[in-house]
Amino acid sequence: MFESLEGKAGHCWYLWVFHSASAVVTTLDPHRTATVPEAHFQGLTTGTVICDRYGAYKKLARTMGFLLAFCRAHYPGIF
């Protein structure tokens, strides 16, 4: 995602998508760090996150107790 900023031709932003059985939440953020999902899941201590193997998600498992289910579309040969 790109968002125009005054004085710059363009700036890269990341579109985060969180969904459950009843809702979809999108967040546009200039960072692709663990702080974004940590803020979204603040107060929760269990759950499953379907994701790629990016380190930000691994931090959720280490620090917040989430179970990671790695996406087969990104790594179809490892299962």
Side-chain angles (χ1 to χ4, degrees):
M1 299 290 303
F2 288 92
E3 176 69 24
S4 297
L5 297 175
E6 188 174 322
K8 291 188 174 188
H11 186 78
C12 183
W13 290 66
Y14 297 93
L15 179 64
W16 293 81
V17 180
F18 305 97
H19 77 87
S20 68
S22 60
V24 175
V25 176
T26 58
T27 301
L28 189 62
D29 196 275
H31 302 103
R32 190 171 185 235
T33 64
T35 59
V36 178
E38 284 174 332
H40 178 78
F41 293 120
Q42 184 177 10
L44 298 176
T45 57
T46 62
T48 302
V49 176
I50 300 171
C51 58
D52 59 16
R53 291 183 177 263
Y54 182 62
Y57 305 117
K58 294 176 185 178
K59 186 175 180 188
L60 288 178
R62 285 192 317 270
T63 63
M64 298 180 77
F66 283 91
L67 175 66
L68 302 181
F70 295 119
C71 175
R72 291 189 69 172
H74 287 89
Y75 303 95
I78 65 169
F79 295 98

